Every structure is written in C-alpha cells, then in structure tokens.
Amino acid sequence: MKVVLMDDVKGLGNAGELVEVKRGYANNFLFRRDLAIEATPQNLNMVKTKQKAFEAKAQQRLEKATSLAKEIQGKRVVLSLKGGEGGRVYGTVTNQDIASALAEMGFEVEKRDIVCKEQIKSAGVYPVDVRLHPEVSAAFEVEVKVEGGKEVAAAEKKPAAKAEAVEEKTAADADIETASETSAEEAPEA
C-alpha cells in the first residue's frame, strides 16, 4: 500500500515522502497516529500544494538541530549518583538520566536520541553522542561522580582488611592443626 507521510517516521521516511508499506502497518499505526495518509490522486494533489510547507518545516528542523548541536558539542555533563565500593554506581546510568541532566542545563533532548558508546556503571568520564537530526549529531562527555565517599574509605581499608583476613586464616589453621594433634594423642589405641 502506498502512503504519503505527514510527519517524519524513524526508519521509514520524512514528511511529504511517498512510501510503500504493508496495509496492516498503515491502518494500525500510521493512520491512527496521523503520521500518514493514503496515496490517492486527491491526497497526492494536496501534498503537492503543501510540499513547500513540508520543505520549509524540514529546513527549520535542520537549522534548529544544527544550532543545538553547536551548543552541546564538547560540553561536559556531570552526574552525581549514589554508589558503592570502588566507585561503582548502584545500577546503570540510563539515557533518561543523561537527558534529565541536559534538560537542567537548558538543552531539550529526547532520551531515544542519546547514544552511549558503552554502559556507564562506575565513576569516570564517558563519551556520548546525541543524534538531533538524521544529518546532525553532537558529541559530549558525561562525568559520573559517586556520592557518599564510600569508594575512598573502602580503598583505604581494602589492603588492611586483606592483611587481617590472611592473619586470621593462618591463626585459624594453626588452631585446627593443634586441635587435631591433641585429639590424636588423646585417642586410645586399640
């Protein structure tokens, strides 16, 4: 079935394009959300008259995305999260967390447009991209800081804790050996 897109549809096309889709997808998704209309001769004439408006709208989106990309490019977003030992974050930093931090900085970005190159699970600085338009993207950094100071305290105690555990283990082994020797001496011979 041929349809004319009334709005940009990810993975399908941009507003004003004539595309071929399955009837069920058109009826159940595109038409119900007013994302497309059926490609009848009457609708095609209407689209031709509105083509300049579609082009102007597309150009406006591109300009807006370009200006936003220039503002975001190279910025550093700082997230302070709760975490545990070794600077590990409780859970994972999500696209929603990054989008919320960008919104606090004054940049309105959809969470689905954010692309993390790797999962963020610990303190550090990570590169992140945001795709604002099919032709425009911007790179920035996300710095994750772990609140609570547990990683510092844990890092200081870790070597001492290991040494104490080794001493306790050798003392326990010595006690077991002594106990087994005395029990062997006390056992009556048959």
Side-chain angles (χ1 to χ4, degrees), residues 4-16:
V4 178
L5 298 177
M6 300 303 288
D7 203 357
D8 294 346
V9 179
K10 188 174 182 176
L12 190 58
N14 296 322

Side-chain angles (χ1 to χ4, degrees), residues 44-167:
L44 288 173
N45 281 336
M46 179 189 69
V47 169
K48 284 181 184 176
T49 59
K50 291 186 176 183
Q51 191 63 32
K52 286 186 181 181
F54 281 129
E55 290 172 2
K57 189 175 179 182
Q59 183 64 28
Q60 184 180 16
R61 284 183 188 162
L62 179 62
E63 290 171 0
K64 183 178 176 184
T66 305
S67 66
L68 186 59
K70 286 179 183 176
E71 292 177 27
I72 292 176
Q73 185 72 31
K75 295 277 187 201
R76 180 174 281 195
V77 176
V78 179
L79 296 173
S80 294
L81 303 170
K82 293 184 180 184
E85 292 184 18
R88 304 262 317 154
V89 175
Y90 293 142
T92 302
V93 176
T94 63
N95 290 357
Q96 180 61 49
D97 297 333
I98 297 169
S100 298
L102 284 170
E104 289 176 10
M105 294 174 68
F107 304 116
E108 292 299 321
V109 175
E110 293 288 326
K111 70 179 182 180
R112 66 177 175 251
D113 295 334
I114 296 173
V115 179
C116 296
K117 294 179 176 143
E118 60 184 282
Q119 285 190 337
I120 302 173
K121 294 185 175 185
S122 60
V125 179
Y126 299 89
V128 177
D129 289 333
V130 61
R131 294 198 178 113
L132 302 167
H133 188 272
E135 301 171 13
V136 180
S137 64
F140 62 98
E141 294 178 335
V142 174
E143 181 179 356
V144 178
K145 294 183 178 180
V146 177
E147 292 180 348
K150 289 183 179 180
E151 77 275 358
V152 173
E156 291 172 359
K157 291 180 182 178
K158 205 171 197 178
K162 280 185 178 179
E164 288 175 12
V166 169
E167 288 175 14

